[in-house]
PDB file of all heavy atoms in Angstrom:
ATOM      1  N   GLU Z   1      -4.078 -15.203 -11.305  1.00  0.00           N
ATOM      2  CA  GLU Z   1      -4.031 -14.440 -10.059  1.00  0.00           C
ATOM      3  C   GLU Z   1      -5.205 -13.466 -10.037  1.00  0.00           C
ATOM      4  O   GLU Z   1      -5.504 -12.834 -11.051  1.00  0.00           O
ATOM      5  CB  GLU Z   1      -2.730 -13.648  -9.975  1.00  0.00           C
ATOM      6  CG  GLU Z   1      -1.514 -14.488  -9.704  1.00  0.00           C
ATOM      7  CD  GLU Z   1      -1.484 -14.995  -8.283  1.00  0.00           C
ATOM      8  OE1 GLU Z   1      -1.953 -14.297  -7.360  1.00  0.00           O
ATOM      9  OE2 GLU Z   1      -0.991 -16.109  -8.086  1.00  0.00           O
ATOM     10  N   PRO Z   2      -5.860 -13.330  -8.907  1.00  0.00           N
ATOM     11  CA  PRO Z   2      -6.933 -12.334  -8.820  1.00  0.00           C
ATOM     12  C   PRO Z   2      -6.373 -10.918  -8.960  1.00  0.00           C
ATOM     13  O   PRO Z   2      -5.213 -10.663  -8.644  1.00  0.00           O
ATOM     14  CB  PRO Z   2      -7.493 -12.538  -7.413  1.00  0.00           C
ATOM     15  CG  PRO Z   2      -6.956 -13.837  -6.938  1.00  0.00           C
ATOM     16  CD  PRO Z   2      -5.704 -14.103  -7.704  1.00  0.00           C
ATOM     17  N   ASP Z   3      -7.196 -10.026  -9.416  1.00  0.00           N
ATOM     18  CA  ASP Z   3      -6.807  -8.627  -9.553  1.00  0.00           C
ATOM     19  C   ASP Z   3      -6.514  -8.065  -8.161  1.00  0.00           C
ATOM     20  O   ASP Z   3      -7.369  -8.113  -7.278  1.00  0.00           O
ATOM     21  CB  ASP Z   3      -7.949  -7.858 -10.212  1.00  0.00           C
ATOM     22  CG  ASP Z   3      -7.657  -6.388 -10.417  1.00  0.00           C
ATOM     23  OD1 ASP Z   3      -6.527  -5.937 -10.114  1.00  0.00           O
ATOM     24  OD2 ASP Z   3      -8.570  -5.680 -10.880  1.00  0.00           O
ATOM     25  N   PRO Z   4      -5.318  -7.507  -7.940  1.00  0.00           N
ATOM     26  CA  PRO Z   4      -4.985  -6.996  -6.605  1.00  0.00           C
ATOM     27  C   PRO Z   4      -5.885  -5.837  -6.177  1.00  0.00           C
ATOM     28  O   PRO Z   4      -6.106  -5.636  -4.989  1.00  0.00           O
ATOM     29  CB  PRO Z   4      -3.528  -6.558  -6.719  1.00  0.00           C
ATOM     30  CG  PRO Z   4      -3.259  -6.422  -8.169  1.00  0.00           C
ATOM     31  CD  PRO Z   4      -4.194  -7.354  -8.863  1.00  0.00           C
ATOM     32  N   ALA Z   5      -6.430  -5.092  -7.113  1.00  0.00           N
ATOM     33  CA  ALA Z   5      -7.337  -3.996  -6.759  1.00  0.00           C
ATOM     34  C   ALA Z   5      -8.632  -4.531  -6.153  1.00  0.00           C
ATOM     35  O   ALA Z   5      -9.249  -3.879  -5.320  1.00  0.00           O
ATOM     36  CB  ALA Z   5      -7.628  -3.127  -7.977  1.00  0.00           C
ATOM     37  N   VAL Z   6      -9.034  -5.738  -6.557  1.00  0.00           N
ATOM     38  CA  VAL Z   6     -10.227  -6.369  -6.004  1.00  0.00           C
ATOM     39  C   VAL Z   6      -9.902  -6.973  -4.629  1.00  0.00           C
ATOM     40  O   VAL Z   6     -10.686  -6.852  -3.694  1.00  0.00           O
ATOM     41  CB  VAL Z   6     -10.769  -7.454  -6.963  1.00  0.00           C
ATOM     42  CG1 VAL Z   6     -11.891  -8.244  -6.326  1.00  0.00           C
ATOM     43  CG2 VAL Z   6     -11.220  -6.820  -8.263  1.00  0.00           C
ATOM     44  N   LEU Z   7      -8.734  -7.599  -4.519  1.00  0.00           N
ATOM     45  CA  LEU Z   7      -8.337  -8.211  -3.247  1.00  0.00           C
ATOM     46  C   LEU Z   7      -8.036  -7.178  -2.176  1.00  0.00           C
ATOM     47  O   LEU Z   7      -8.316  -7.396  -0.997  1.00  0.00           O
ATOM     48  CB  LEU Z   7      -7.083  -9.080  -3.445  1.00  0.00           C
ATOM     49  CG  LEU Z   7      -7.259 -10.377  -4.186  1.00  0.00           C
ATOM     50  CD1 LEU Z   7      -5.900 -11.054  -4.358  1.00  0.00           C
ATOM     51  CD2 LEU Z   7      -8.198 -11.297  -3.434  1.00  0.00           C
ATOM     52  N   PHE Z   8      -7.430  -6.076  -2.573  1.00  0.00           N
ATOM     53  CA  PHE Z   8      -6.975  -5.062  -1.626  1.00  0.00           C
ATOM     54  C   PHE Z   8      -7.508  -3.676  -2.010  1.00  0.00           C
ATOM     55  O   PHE Z   8      -6.749  -2.805  -2.412  1.00  0.00           O
ATOM     56  CB  PHE Z   8      -5.442  -5.028  -1.587  1.00  0.00           C
ATOM     57  CG  PHE Z   8      -4.804  -6.373  -1.419  1.00  0.00           C
ATOM     58  CD1 PHE Z   8      -4.080  -6.945  -2.453  1.00  0.00           C
ATOM     59  CD2 PHE Z   8      -4.924  -7.068  -0.235  1.00  0.00           C
ATOM     60  CE1 PHE Z   8      -3.484  -8.186  -2.300  1.00  0.00           C
ATOM     61  CE2 PHE Z   8      -4.333  -8.310  -0.073  1.00  0.00           C
ATOM     62  CZ  PHE Z   8      -3.615  -8.878  -1.103  1.00  0.00           C
ATOM     63  N   PRO Z   9      -8.819  -3.446  -1.874  1.00  0.00           N
ATOM     64  CA  PRO Z   9      -9.372  -2.159  -2.291  1.00  0.00           C
ATOM     65  C   PRO Z   9      -8.822  -0.980  -1.484  1.00  0.00           C
ATOM     66  O   PRO Z   9      -8.693   0.123  -2.012  1.00  0.00           O
ATOM     67  CB  PRO Z   9     -10.879  -2.319  -2.089  1.00  0.00           C
ATOM     68  CG  PRO Z   9     -11.027  -3.452  -1.145  1.00  0.00           C
ATOM     69  CD  PRO Z   9      -9.844  -4.343  -1.355  1.00  0.00           C
ATOM     70  N   ASP Z  10      -8.470  -1.217  -0.224  1.00  0.00           N
ATOM     71  CA  ASP Z  10      -7.897  -0.138   0.588  1.00  0.00           C
ATOM     72  C   ASP Z  10      -6.515   0.260   0.078  1.00  0.00           C
ATOM     73  O   ASP Z  10      -6.153   1.435   0.068  1.00  0.00           O
ATOM     74  CB  ASP Z  10      -7.832  -0.533   2.060  1.00  0.00           C
ATOM     75  CG  ASP Z  10      -7.196  -1.887   2.295  1.00  0.00           C
ATOM     76  OD1 ASP Z  10      -7.170  -2.729   1.362  1.00  0.00           O
ATOM     77  OD2 ASP Z  10      -6.711  -2.129   3.419  1.00  0.00           O
ATOM     78  N   VAL Z  11      -5.734  -0.713  -0.390  1.00  0.00           N
ATOM     79  CA  VAL Z  11      -4.424  -0.425  -0.982  1.00  0.00           C
ATOM     80  C   VAL Z  11      -4.611   0.299  -2.310  1.00  0.00           C
ATOM     81  O   VAL Z  11      -3.936   1.298  -2.588  1.00  0.00           O
ATOM     82  CB  VAL Z  11      -3.593  -1.710  -1.163  1.00  0.00           C
ATOM     83  CG1 VAL Z  11      -2.319  -1.441  -1.940  1.00  0.00           C
ATOM     84  CG2 VAL Z  11      -3.269  -2.336   0.196  1.00  0.00           C
ATOM     85  N   ALA Z  12      -5.541  -0.184  -3.115  1.00  0.00           N
ATOM     86  CA  ALA Z  12      -5.805   0.442  -4.416  1.00  0.00           C
ATOM     87  C   ALA Z  12      -6.257   1.894  -4.240  1.00  0.00           C
ATOM     88  O   ALA Z  12      -5.893   2.753  -5.040  1.00  0.00           O
ATOM     89  CB  ALA Z  12      -6.853  -0.360  -5.190  1.00  0.00           C
ATOM     90  N   ALA Z  13      -7.005   2.166  -3.180  1.00  0.00           N
ATOM     91  CA  ALA Z  13      -7.462   3.537  -2.930  1.00  0.00           C
ATOM     92  C   ALA Z  13      -6.288   4.478  -2.674  1.00  0.00           C
ATOM     93  O   ALA Z  13      -6.359   5.662  -3.003  1.00  0.00           O
ATOM     94  CB  ALA Z  13      -8.420   3.561  -1.748  1.00  0.00           C
ATOM     95  N   HIS Z  14      -5.198   3.960  -2.121  1.00  0.00           N
ATOM     96  CA  HIS Z  14      -4.000   4.771  -1.886  1.00  0.00           C
ATOM     97  C   HIS Z  14      -3.090   4.809  -3.114  1.00  0.00           C
ATOM     98  O   HIS Z  14      -2.168   5.611  -3.171  1.00  0.00           O
ATOM     99  CB  HIS Z  14      -3.206   4.231  -0.693  1.00  0.00           C
ATOM    100  CG  HIS Z  14      -3.806   4.592   0.616  1.00  0.00           C
ATOM    101  ND1 HIS Z  14      -4.692   3.774   1.274  1.00  0.00           N
ATOM    102  CD2 HIS Z  14      -3.658   5.693   1.385  1.00  0.00           C
ATOM    103  CE1 HIS Z  14      -5.054   4.346   2.399  1.00  0.00           C
ATOM    104  NE2 HIS Z  14      -4.455   5.518   2.489  1.00  0.00           N
ATOM    105  N   GLY Z  15      -3.313   3.918  -4.059  1.00  0.00           N
ATOM    106  CA  GLY Z  15      -2.523   3.908  -5.294  1.00  0.00           C
ATOM    107  C   GLY Z  15      -1.367   2.934  -5.294  1.00  0.00           C
ATOM    108  O   GLY Z  15      -0.882   2.561  -6.347  1.00  0.00           O
ATOM    109  N   SER Z  16      -0.908   2.524  -4.119  1.00  0.00           N
ATOM    110  CA  SER Z  16       0.183   1.546  -4.044  1.00  0.00           C
ATOM    111  C   SER Z  16       0.258   0.987  -2.625  1.00  0.00           C
ATOM    112  O   SER Z  16      -0.261   1.600  -1.675  1.00  0.00           O
ATOM    113  CB  SER Z  16       1.526   2.181  -4.417  1.00  0.00           C
ATOM    114  OG  SER Z  16       1.937   3.086  -3.408  1.00  0.00           O
ATOM    115  N   LEU Z  17       0.916  -0.146  -2.495  1.00  0.00           N
ATOM    116  CA  LEU Z  17       1.131  -0.728  -1.177  1.00  0.00           C
ATOM    117  C   LEU Z  17       2.003   0.189  -0.339  1.00  0.00           C
ATOM    118  O   LEU Z  17       1.760   0.376   0.852  1.00  0.00           O
ATOM    119  CB  LEU Z  17       1.774  -2.115  -1.308  1.00  0.00           C
ATOM    120  CG  LEU Z  17       2.067  -2.857  -0.008  1.00  0.00           C
ATOM    121  CD1 LEU Z  17       0.801  -3.049   0.827  1.00  0.00           C
ATOM    122  CD2 LEU Z  17       2.732  -4.188  -0.289  1.00  0.00           C
ATOM    123  N   ALA Z  18       3.015   0.790  -0.961  1.00  0.00           N
ATOM    124  CA  ALA Z  18       3.896   1.706  -0.229  1.00  0.00           C
ATOM    125  C   ALA Z  18       3.104   2.868   0.361  1.00  0.00           C
ATOM    126  O   ALA Z  18       3.263   3.209   1.533  1.00  0.00           O
ATOM    127  CB  ALA Z  18       5.001   2.217  -1.147  1.00  0.00           C
ATOM    128  N   ALA Z  19       2.236   3.472  -0.424  1.00  0.00           N
ATOM    129  CA  ALA Z  19       1.443   4.611   0.053  1.00  0.00           C
ATOM    130  C   ALA Z  19       0.470   4.188   1.153  1.00  0.00           C
ATOM    131  O   ALA Z  19       0.273   4.915   2.132  1.00  0.00           O
ATOM    132  CB  ALA Z  19       0.690   5.247  -1.105  1.00  0.00           C
ATOM    133  N   ALA Z  20      -0.136   2.999   1.017  1.00  0.00           N
ATOM    134  CA  ALA Z  20      -1.060   2.510   2.043  1.00  0.00           C
ATOM    135  C   ALA Z  20      -0.332   2.251   3.359  1.00  0.00           C
ATOM    136  O   ALA Z  20      -0.827   2.604   4.434  1.00  0.00           O
ATOM    137  CB  ALA Z  20      -1.746   1.228   1.560  1.00  0.00           C
ATOM    138  N   LEU Z  21       0.855   1.671   3.290  1.00  0.00           N
ATOM    139  CA  LEU Z  21       1.631   1.412   4.506  1.00  0.00           C
ATOM    140  C   LEU Z  21       2.125   2.716   5.135  1.00  0.00           C
ATOM    141  O   LEU Z  21       2.141   2.849   6.362  1.00  0.00           O
ATOM    142  CB  LEU Z  21       2.796   0.481   4.205  1.00  0.00           C
ATOM    143  CG  LEU Z  21       2.412  -0.956   3.863  1.00  0.00           C
ATOM    144  CD1 LEU Z  21       3.632  -1.734   3.387  1.00  0.00           C
ATOM    145  CD2 LEU Z  21       1.764  -1.636   5.047  1.00  0.00           C
ATOM    146  N   GLN Z  22       2.503   3.668   4.309  1.00  0.00           N
ATOM    147  CA  GLN Z  22       2.928   4.974   4.829  1.00  0.00           C
ATOM    148  C   GLN Z  22       1.770   5.675   5.537  1.00  0.00           C
ATOM    149  O   GLN Z  22       1.954   6.291   6.585  1.00  0.00           O
ATOM    150  CB  GLN Z  22       3.481   5.851   3.706  1.00  0.00           C
ATOM    151  CG  GLN Z  22       4.859   5.416   3.266  1.00  0.00           C
ATOM    152  CD  GLN Z  22       5.338   6.159   2.037  1.00  0.00           C
ATOM    153  OE1 GLN Z  22       4.548   6.538   1.181  1.00  0.00           O
ATOM    154  NE2 GLN Z  22       6.640   6.356   1.942  1.00  0.00           N
ATOM    155  N   ALA Z  23       0.583   5.578   4.983  1.00  0.00           N
ATOM    156  CA  ALA Z  23      -0.598   6.189   5.605  1.00  0.00           C
ATOM    157  C   ALA Z  23      -0.916   5.511   6.940  1.00  0.00           C
ATOM    158  O   ALA Z  23      -1.231   6.193   7.923  1.00  0.00           O
ATOM    159  CB  ALA Z  23      -1.798   6.106   4.663  1.00  0.00           C
ATOM    160  N   ALA Z  24      -0.821   4.180   6.979  1.00  0.00           N
ATOM    161  CA  ALA Z  24      -1.066   3.457   8.232  1.00  0.00           C
ATOM    162  C   ALA Z  24      -0.029   3.837   9.281  1.00  0.00           C
ATOM    163  O   ALA Z  24      -0.362   4.017  10.457  1.00  0.00           O
ATOM    164  CB  ALA Z  24      -1.057   1.953   7.981  1.00  0.00           C
ATOM    165  N   ALA Z  25       1.214   3.978   8.871  1.00  0.00           N
ATOM    166  CA  ALA Z  25       2.278   4.375   9.798  1.00  0.00           C
ATOM    167  C   ALA Z  25       2.041   5.797  10.295  1.00  0.00           C
ATOM    168  O   ALA Z  25       2.196   6.080  11.493  1.00  0.00           O
ATOM    169  CB  ALA Z  25       3.641   4.271   9.121  1.00  0.00           C
ATOM    170  N   ALA Z  26       1.657   6.697   9.407  1.00  0.00           N
ATOM    171  CA  ALA Z  26       1.404   8.088   9.786  1.00  0.00           C
ATOM    172  C   ALA Z  26       0.268   8.182  10.801  1.00  0.00           C
ATOM    173  O   ALA Z  26       0.316   9.011  11.712  1.00  0.00           O
ATOM    174  CB  ALA Z  26       1.093   8.926   8.551  1.00  0.00           C
ATOM    175  N   ASP Z  27      -0.741   7.309  10.661  1.00  0.00           N
ATOM    176  CA  ASP Z  27      -1.841   7.279  11.627  1.00  0.00           C
ATOM    177  C   ASP Z  27      -1.340   6.937  13.026  1.00  0.00           C
ATOM    178  O   ASP Z  27      -1.962   7.288  14.018  1.00  0.00           O
ATOM    179  CB  ASP Z  27      -2.907   6.265  11.213  1.00  0.00           C
ATOM    180  CG  ASP Z  27      -3.734   6.728  10.036  1.00  0.00           C
ATOM    181  OD1 ASP Z  27      -3.693   7.934   9.698  1.00  0.00           O
ATOM    182  OD2 ASP Z  27      -4.432   5.877   9.445  1.00  0.00           O
ATOM    183  N   GLN Z  28      -0.221   6.243  13.110  1.00  0.00           N
ATOM    184  CA  GLN Z  28       0.375   5.856  14.389  1.00  0.00           C
ATOM    185  C   GLN Z  28       1.485   6.821  14.818  1.00  0.00           C
ATOM    186  O   GLN Z  28       2.189   6.571  15.792  1.00  0.00           O
ATOM    187  CB  GLN Z  28       0.941   4.437  14.293  1.00  0.00           C
ATOM    188  CG  GLN Z  28      -0.082   3.375  13.980  1.00  0.00           C
ATOM    189  CD  GLN Z  28      -1.129   3.261  15.087  1.00  0.00           C
ATOM    190  OE1 GLN Z  28      -0.789   3.192  16.256  1.00  0.00           O
ATOM    191  NE2 GLN Z  28      -2.395   3.255  14.701  1.00  0.00           N
ATOM    192  N   GLY Z  29       1.667   7.889  14.042  1.00  0.00           N
ATOM    193  CA  GLY Z  29       2.696   8.869  14.352  1.00  0.00           C
ATOM    194  C   GLY Z  29       4.093   8.446  13.948  1.00  0.00           C
ATOM    195  O   GLY Z  29       5.085   8.949  14.465  1.00  0.00           O
ATOM    196  N   LEU Z  30       4.183   7.525  12.999  1.00  0.00           N
ATOM    197  CA  LEU Z  30       5.473   7.016  12.541  1.00  0.00           C
ATOM    198  C   LEU Z  30       5.769   7.465  11.123  1.00  0.00           C
ATOM    199  O   LEU Z  30       4.864   7.731  10.335  1.00  0.00           O
ATOM    200  CB  LEU Z  30       5.475   5.481  12.589  1.00  0.00           C
ATOM    201  CG  LEU Z  30       5.177   4.839  13.938  1.00  0.00           C
ATOM    202  CD1 LEU Z  30       4.964   3.353  13.780  1.00  0.00           C
ATOM    203  CD2 LEU Z  30       6.300   5.135  14.912  1.00  0.00           C
ATOM    204  N   SER Z  31       7.031   7.502  10.787  1.00  0.00           N
ATOM    205  CA  SER Z  31       7.466   7.779   9.428  1.00  0.00           C
ATOM    206  C   SER Z  31       8.049   6.493   8.857  1.00  0.00           C
ATOM    207  O   SER Z  31       8.935   5.893   9.461  1.00  0.00           O
ATOM    208  CB  SER Z  31       8.528   8.876   9.434  1.00  0.00           C
ATOM    209  OG  SER Z  31       9.050   9.040   8.141  1.00  0.00           O
ATOM    210  N   LEU Z  32       7.556   6.064   7.737  1.00  0.00           N
ATOM    211  CA  LEU Z  32       7.994   4.811   7.126  1.00  0.00           C
ATOM    212  C   LEU Z  32       8.427   5.096   5.695  1.00  0.00           C
ATOM    213  O   LEU Z  32       7.601   5.277   4.812  1.00  0.00           O
ATOM    214  CB  LEU Z  32       6.850   3.802   7.158  1.00  0.00           C
ATOM    215  CG  LEU Z  32       7.130   2.362   6.803  1.00  0.00           C
ATOM    216  CD1 LEU Z  32       8.167   1.755   7.740  1.00  0.00           C
ATOM    217  CD2 LEU Z  32       5.848   1.560   6.877  1.00  0.00           C
ATOM    218  N   PRO Z  33       9.743   5.159   5.436  1.00  0.00           N
ATOM    219  CA  PRO Z  33      10.233   5.508   4.099  1.00  0.00           C
ATOM    220  C   PRO Z  33      10.185   4.331   3.124  1.00  0.00           C
ATOM    221  O   PRO Z  33      11.145   3.593   2.966  1.00  0.00           O
ATOM    222  CB  PRO Z  33      11.673   5.963   4.357  1.00  0.00           C
ATOM    223  CG  PRO Z  33      12.091   5.184   5.560  1.00  0.00           C
ATOM    224  CD  PRO Z  33      10.846   5.002   6.380  1.00  0.00           C
ATOM    225  N   LEU Z  34       9.064   4.143   2.493  1.00  0.00           N
ATOM    226  CA  LEU Z  34       8.889   3.076   1.513  1.00  0.00           C
ATOM    227  C   LEU Z  34       8.893   3.657   0.113  1.00  0.00           C
ATOM    228  O   LEU Z  34       8.515   4.806  -0.099  1.00  0.00           O
ATOM    229  CB  LEU Z  34       7.563   2.358   1.740  1.00  0.00           C
ATOM    230  CG  LEU Z  34       7.498   1.464   2.962  1.00  0.00           C
ATOM    231  CD1 LEU Z  34       6.062   1.267   3.387  1.00  0.00           C
ATOM    232  CD2 LEU Z  34       8.142   0.130   2.668  1.00  0.00           C
ATOM    233  N   THR Z  35       9.288   2.831  -0.848  1.00  0.00           N
ATOM    234  CA  THR Z  35       9.204   3.229  -2.248  1.00  0.00           C
ATOM    235  C   THR Z  35       8.327   2.240  -2.996  1.00  0.00           C
ATOM    236  O   THR Z  35       8.251   1.067  -2.643  1.00  0.00           O
ATOM    237  CB  THR Z  35      10.595   3.291  -2.916  1.00  0.00           C
ATOM    238  OG1 THR Z  35      11.223   2.022  -2.782  1.00  0.00           O
ATOM    239  CG2 THR Z  35      11.462   4.357  -2.280  1.00  0.00           C
ATOM    240  N   VAL Z  36       7.690   2.736  -4.012  1.00  0.00           N
ATOM    241  CA  VAL Z  36       6.825   1.908  -4.851  1.00  0.00           C
ATOM    242  C   VAL Z  36       7.687   0.992  -5.702  1.00  0.00           C
ATOM    243  O   VAL Z  36       8.710   1.408  -6.234  1.00  0.00           O
ATOM    244  CB  VAL Z  36       5.951   2.805  -5.763  1.00  0.00           C
ATOM    245  CG1 VAL Z  36       5.165   1.990  -6.748  1.00  0.00           C
ATOM    246  CG2 VAL Z  36       5.043   3.665  -4.922  1.00  0.00           C
ATOM    247  N   THR Z  37       7.270  -0.238  -5.836  1.00  0.00           N
ATOM    248  CA  THR Z  37       7.919  -1.164  -6.753  1.00  0.00           C
ATOM    249  C   THR Z  37       7.161  -1.058  -8.076  1.00  0.00           C
ATOM    250  O   THR Z  37       5.998  -1.458  -8.149  1.00  0.00           O
ATOM    251  CB  THR Z  37       7.869  -2.605  -6.204  1.00  0.00           C
ATOM    252  OG1 THR Z  37       8.469  -2.615  -4.914  1.00  0.00           O
ATOM    253  CG2 THR Z  37       8.597  -3.568  -7.114  1.00  0.00           C
ATOM    254  N   PRO Z  38       7.784  -0.485  -9.106  1.00  0.00           N
ATOM    255  CA  PRO Z  38       7.069  -0.205 -10.349  1.00  0.00           C
ATOM    256  C   PRO Z  38       6.435  -1.424 -11.019  1.00  0.00           C
ATOM    257  O   PRO Z  38       5.405  -1.305 -11.671  1.00  0.00           O
ATOM    258  CB  PRO Z  38       8.132   0.405 -11.249  1.00  0.00           C
ATOM    259  CG  PRO Z  38       9.211   0.871 -10.353  1.00  0.00           C
ATOM    260  CD  PRO Z  38       9.171  -0.033  -9.164  1.00  0.00           C
ATOM    261  N   SER Z  39       7.022  -2.589 -10.864  1.00  0.00           N
ATOM    262  CA  SER Z  39       6.503  -3.772 -11.562  1.00  0.00           C
ATOM    263  C   SER Z  39       5.146  -4.226 -11.028  1.00  0.00           C
ATOM    264  O   SER Z  39       4.364  -4.809 -11.764  1.00  0.00           O
ATOM    265  CB  SER Z  39       7.501  -4.920 -11.472  1.00  0.00           C
ATOM    266  OG  SER Z  39       7.692  -5.294 -10.115  1.00  0.00           O
ATOM    267  N   ASP Z  40       4.842  -3.973  -9.754  1.00  0.00           N
ATOM    268  CA  ASP Z  40       3.571  -4.402  -9.165  1.00  0.00           C
ATOM    269  C   ASP Z  40       3.266  -3.536  -7.943  1.00  0.00           C
ATOM    270  O   ASP Z  40       3.370  -3.996  -6.807  1.00  0.00           O
ATOM    271  CB  ASP Z  40       3.646  -5.881  -8.792  1.00  0.00           C
ATOM    272  CG  ASP Z  40       2.292  -6.520  -8.589  1.00  0.00           C
ATOM    273  OD1 ASP Z  40       1.277  -5.797  -8.585  1.00  0.00           O
ATOM    274  OD2 ASP Z  40       2.243  -7.746  -8.421  1.00  0.00           O
TER     275      ASP Z  40
END
């Protein structure tokens, strides 16, 4: 599998998919209660 940090540098910049999605939602004025999945 390719390194996810290489495939998704914008997600890696936020530290997790949950944080990246929360930031995208906040840009739209939404609150999205996501949690990080520790395994990946």
Side-chain angles (χ1 to χ4, degrees):
E1 287 288 327
D3 180 4
V6 172
L7 288 177
F8 311 111
D10 50 338
V11 172
H14 283 93
S16 70
L17 180 58
L21 291 172
Q22 285 172 328
D27 287 345
Q28 299 297 312
L30 303 170
S31 174
L32 190 60
L34 288 157
T35 57
V36 173
T37 304
S39 62
D40 198 352

